[in-house]
Amino acid sequence: MKKFFNNLQFRSKIIWIFGIMFFFSTAISGVSYYKYTSHDIEENFRVSAESVLVQIVDTLDMRLGVIRQRSQGMLTNFTFVVSVSDYLNNPNDINVVKAMGTVSSFLKDLEIGENLLHSSYIYTDKGEFDNFVRIRNWQFDFKESEYYKSYMEESGKAIRWFPPQRDQIFQDTDQIIPCVRQFSVQGYAGSLYLVLQLKVKQLEYLLEGKYGFFDKILILDQNGNTIIGSEGLDSAELIKMAEEWKGKETVITGDYQYGGNTYLVTSAVLSENGWQIWGLKSRETLLGSLQSLRNVIFETMGVIFLIGVATIWLLSHQLTSSLRKLEKRMSLVEKGNFNTRFFYPYKDEVGSLAKSFNYMIGEIQSLVVKQEETIEELKRERDYAAEVQKQKRKAELRALQAQINPHFLYNTLNAITWQAADQGAEEISILSNSLGKFFRISLSKGAEVITLREELEHVTSYLDIQRIRYHSRLNYQIDVGEQWLDCRVIKLILQPLTENSIYHGIKERQGTGLIRIYEEQCCAGKEQILKLIVWDDGAGIPEDKLKVLNEALRKGETDRSEGYGIYNVNERLRLYFGEDYGLQFESVKGQWTKAILTLPVRDWGID
């Protein structure tokens, strides 16, 4: 082969050398560009898929959480409990009529408030209840159903979910997802069961808009049963993948082989009931747009190769002794020295070649400069995207501030109703006035920053409402110095902490509880620090749980379903003031708990 090459004409050698050089440089560039583009598309999809799946999980967690909270509110409502208790302990005609009216009314309100609910049903040893909206299937025997048998076979969990099925309780053909909740009432030893049936079609409707992003979406329960999803998927293989990923991250991604295709898989778990949500995208579909790019690369390689060979073949006829000098210059270029030039004093073919050579080197230098500029532009775009994400996060936090706890509003309106019926109109004025102040300051005409005076007025309104609700079980004191009342703070940072003190502290103790709000001042270098403290003498926090809570607050975690309000307050303080500020807890189990807000005293403004 070497001898054959050496015997070729010099002109043919040049043609072969430059032809091969053009071919391989173009091929390597084309293949590298294709691989980079395909990898970039996959990575962008994974990031977007995680974001879309987080939205789905947040939506379903919120909807299922609302259903759980509202059902809990119904089961603990005084009127509901008294009516059911009277019926169970003394099932005469009067108590039966009262219980049927009260329970059906509560069940009807529960279903009207949430369109994801299909129907509801309560089973007791003395009788069954529904809201009289649907026709009952009188052949249905709760004690013979899988719902009751699951509690008999395995005790422990009060709330249990079952796979989709045809409605057994009512006479229709709708597909429903049953959720059974075991509960009890004071003074009755038997077990009671609340069955909430979710609409499969409504759940599918919530996911309908996401099929444009994913090719397939699948929801599995903790036992591997399909709740919602594409037909024919191997759920056992997906569950095996989930076990391998268990404990790594909240949202996980990977590859899945199905039907001869490779799918990019994204998965997350609902915190409400442990459902596993899967989003699948075919790699072939995702990279299908690159087929045209492959064709363009091959065509370009062919054109460049042919043009290069033809040009070299023509110029090779005019080669002179100057070609060796040019060859030396080209060797320098091959080593990366783009500052070299070939100067030829005449205007013949070699001079033209020298001029072309010099122009080519200049173009390469220009392309290198442009490449560096492109890299800088990509860095700026990356920084801009990060800033957009930060602003988006701020907007989401602002939207969270505008939300009103429907469970609290529900209890407050019930308190107004009870006081009107039992004590007359005197306390209605207090409740209405306090509730009006609560909402007025919550809205604050869209402002995110208010004075400490307004924040204290807001929490005072909240505590006045709760004190009327709990009567003599709740007292409070607010001891904040006058000099701090005009300080500017982020709104809605004290109310979630007082709510936390009531529901996790005062309610868990016997007798009257006390909540005290006061301030402490300290310095960090040249900057004044104000500490707002919400103290209660409630049940306290166990030491191990306290340690986990403070560590999560220090890291700025926000994706916990338990205690979401306090994590939201902490994250807002860290976002506005920096990671050196935020929320921490101190507590002694069974004695007291102290929530400490740390924020700077400075002149600042936030739109």
Side-chain angles (χ1 to χ4, degrees):
M1 184 67 182
K2 181 178 180 181
K3 184 177 180 180
F4 171 78
F5 184 79
N6 290 332
N7 289 328
L8 288 175
Q9 294 182 358
F10 190 69
R11 177 179 58 197
S12 300
K13 291 179 181 179
I14 296 298
I15 292 173
W16 275 99
I17 291 173
F18 279 89
I20 293 173
M21 184 180 69
F22 272 118
F23 175 81
F24 279 103
S25 61
T26 306
I28 293 172
S29 299
V31 172
S32 300
Y33 179 75
Y34 176 80
K35 289 185 177 180
Y36 172 81
T37 303
S38 61
H39 178 267
D40 191 57
I41 289 175
E42 286 190 20
E43 287 303 310
N44 288 337
F45 171 79
R46 291 181 191 275
V47 173
S48 301
E50 289 183 12
S51 177
V52 171
L53 205 66
V54 166
Q55 293 177 16
I56 296 175
V57 170
D58 289 344
T59 299
L60 292 181
D61 267 334
M62 182 191 70
R63 297 290 293 274
L64 296 179
V66 168
I67 293 174
R68 174 178 53 78
Q69 292 173 0
R70 294 191 64 202
S71 63
Q72 177 66 23
M74 179 190 74
L75 297 176
T76 57
N77 182 272
F78 178 79
T79 303
F80 177 91
V81 171
V82 170
S83 178
V84 173
S85 178
D86 289 345
Y87 163 72
L88 294 174
N89 291 300
N90 186 16
N92 55 42
D93 292 341
I94 295 177
N95 288 337
V96 169
V97 173
K98 288 182 178 180
M100 291 179 66
T102 301
V103 173
S104 64
S105 176
F106 273 95
L107 292 178
K108 189 177 297 182
D109 290 342
L110 182 64
E111 293 181 23
I112 292 175
E114 177 53 62
N115 63 358
L116 193 58
L117 279 177
H118 173 272
S119 56
S120 55
Y121 161 86
I122 291 180
Y123 172 80
T124 73
D125 295 332
K126 303 290 180 66
E128 302 161 296
F129 300 92
D130 60 72
N131 58 12
F132 304 113
V133 173
R134 299 178 183 274
I135 301 175
R136 284 270 299 280
N137 176 16
W138 299 108
Q139 303 299 321
F140 174 77
D141 186 353
F142 183 85
K143 284 198 170 183
E144 296 297 325
S145 68
E146 60 178 318
Y147 310 146
Y148 182 80
K149 291 178 181 178
S150 70
Y151 284 94
M152 297 299 101
E153 295 170 357
E154 180 185 359
S155 60
K157 294 191 297 183
I159 301 177
R160 305 190 181 192
W161 292 83
F162 296 86
Q165 55 189 262
R166 186 173 176 272
D167 191 355
Q168 302 181 44
I169 300 176
F170 298 97
Q171 294 184 24
D172 54 42
T173 60
D174 294 340
Q175 287 291 313
I176 53 89
I177 302 172
C179 173
V180 182
R181 181 176 191 144
Q182 187 180 42
F183 68 97
S184 60
V185 296
Q186 187 175 3
Y188 183 72
S191 295
L192 313 176
Y193 299 89
L194 168 64
V195 181
L196 299 177
Q197 301 190 132
L198 274 58
K199 301 175 184 176
V200 172
K201 289 185 177 179
Q202 186 65 28
L203 189 57
E204 292 175 340
Y205 175 77
L206 290 177
L207 301 176
E208 189 174 28
K210 307 304 179 184
Y211 280 94
F213 189 83
F214 294 107
D215 292 337
K216 300 176 184 295
I217 296 180
L218 181 67
I219 300 180
L220 302 176
D221 65 15
Q222 292 176 316
N223 297 320
N225 298 310
T226 300
I227 303 299
I228 296 293
S230 306
E231 296 291 333
L233 288 176
D234 187 358
S235 60
E237 183 65 24
L238 292 176
I239 292 174
K240 182 179 179 181
M241 292 176 64
E243 289 294 328
E244 295 174 355
W245 293 337
K246 190 172 184 181
K248 291 184 178 180
E249 294 179 3
T250 303
V251 180
I252 52 180
T253 58
D255 293 341
Y256 169 67
Q257 299 291 333
Y258 170 71
N261 293 325
T262 301
Y263 287 85
L264 301 177
V265 176
T266 307
S267 177
V269 178
L270 292 182
S271 58
E272 274 295 324
N273 55 9
W275 285 355
Q276 188 93 20
I277 302 182
W278 299 83
L280 291 84
K281 185 73 172 181
S282 170
R283 180 178 273 108
E284 182 179 356
T285 302
L286 185 63
L287 301 180
S289 60
L290 294 181
Q291 180 64 42
S292 59
L293 178 62
R294 287 196 295 268
N295 296 334
V296 170
I297 290 174
F298 290 137
E299 292 172 1
T300 303
M301 288 172 56
V303 171
I304 292 176
F305 179 77
L306 292 176
I307 292 174
V309 170
T311 302
I312 295 168
W313 185 83
L314 291 173
L315 293 177
S316 64
H317 288 278
Q318 307 300 325
L319 290 176
T320 65
S321 61
S322 300
L323 187 60
R324 290 193 176 184
K325 296 179 181 179
L326 178 59
E327 183 181 7
K328 293 180 181 179
R329 299 294 190 276
M330 293 182 66
S331 297
L332 295 176
V333 172
E334 289 179 349
K335 295 177 181 179
N337 184 1
F338 297 109
N339 294 319
T340 187
R341 296 291 186 273
F342 178 68
F343 298 100
Y344 190 75
Y346 306 106
K347 296 183 179 180
D348 59 7
E349 289 81 4
V350 176
S352 179
L353 180 60
K355 183 179 179 180
S356 299
F357 172 78
N358 293 333
Y359 175 79
M360 180 182 67
I361 300 304
E363 286 295 305
I364 291 176
Q365 285 183 314
S366 176
L367 289 173
V368 170
V369 172
K370 288 182 179 179
Q371 185 181 36
E372 293 175 351
E373 292 175 351
T374 301
I375 292 173
E376 291 299 321
E377 182 64 23
L378 288 174
K379 289 181 179 179
R380 287 192 292 270
E381 289 180 359
R382 181 194 62 192
D383 295 338
Y384 175 76
E387 180 63 23
V388 168
Q389 289 298 321
K390 182 178 179 181
Q391 294 302 323
K392 179 182 177 183
R393 192 175 182 188
K394 272 192 177 182
E396 291 173 346
L397 290 174
R398 289 175 178 172
L400 286 173
Q401 289 179 352
Q403 294 176 351
I404 299 173
N405 189 327
H407 183 60
F408 168 66
L409 178 59
Y410 176 80
N411 288 334
T412 303
L413 293 176
N414 276 344
I416 294 174
T417 303
W418 299 338
Q419 295 300 327
D422 297 338
Q423 299 181 16
E426 180 180 355
E427 292 186 338
I428 292 178
S429 175
I430 298 174
L431 280 170
S432 301
N433 184 44
S434 298
L435 187 58
K437 290 180 179 179
F438 182 85
F439 290 134
R440 175 176 61 81
I441 298 174
S442 295
L443 297 174
S444 303
K445 297 181 179 180
E448 304 299 331
V449 180
I450 61 177
T451 64
L452 181 56
R453 187 191 311 276
E454 292 173 314
E455 180 66 11
L456 291 174
E457 182 182 358
H458 177 262
V459 76
T460 300
S461 300
Y462 174 80
L463 287 168
D464 286 340
I465 293 170
Q466 295 291 9
R467 187 161 62 176
I468 291 176
R469 179 185 174 191
Y470 290 98
H471 299 288
S472 61
R473 289 197 60 195
L474 174 64
N475 286 325
Y476 71 89
Q477 296 176 1
I478 298 180
D479 303 314
V480 177
E482 186 72 20
Q483 70 274 24
W484 305 110
L485 297 183
D486 292 327
C487 290
R488 307 283 286 176
V489 299
I490 303 171
K491 71 179 181 181
L492 303 181
I493 58 176
L494 291 176
Q495 184 272 330
L497 301 183
T498 57
E499 182 179 1
N500 190 69
S501 293
I502 292 173
Y503 287 96
H504 298 287
I506 303 302
K507 282 184 66 176
E508 303 298 327
R509 60 161 288 157
Q510 298 293 327
T512 301
L514 174 63
I515 294 177
R516 182 169 174 247
I517 301 175
Y518 61 98
E519 98 285 347
E520 288 182 0
Q521 180 187 3
C522 60
C523 293
K526 295 182 180 180
E527 190 169 41
Q528 282 190 313
I529 303 299
L530 177 62
K531 292 187 176 182
L532 294 176
I533 299 172
V534 179
W535 177 94
D536 69 76
D537 60 352
I541 306 174
E543 183 176 350
D544 54 342
K545 186 175 181 181
L546 179 65
K547 183 178 180 181
V548 172
L549 173 62
N550 282 329
E551 181 66 17
L553 292 171
R554 184 184 65 80
K555 292 181 179 178
E557 295 181 7
T558 59
D559 56 349
R560 293 173 174 255
S561 59
E562 181 180 0
Y564 179 77
I566 62 176
Y567 288 104
N568 177 259
V569 170
N570 180 65
E571 184 63 9
R572 288 168 54 212
L573 290 174
R574 287 163 59 91
L575 178 62
Y576 282 114
F577 297 121
E579 295 184 357
D580 293 334
Y581 303 96
L583 173 63
Q584 287 287 289
F585 281 84
E586 296 178 3
S587 181
V588 174
K589 174 67 174 175
Q591 297 183 26
W592 55 267
T593 299
K594 183 190 295 184
I596 305 171
L597 289 169
T598 303
L599 56 157
V601 180
R602 61 170 78 144
D603 293 327
W604 55 277
I606 299 175
D607 294 332

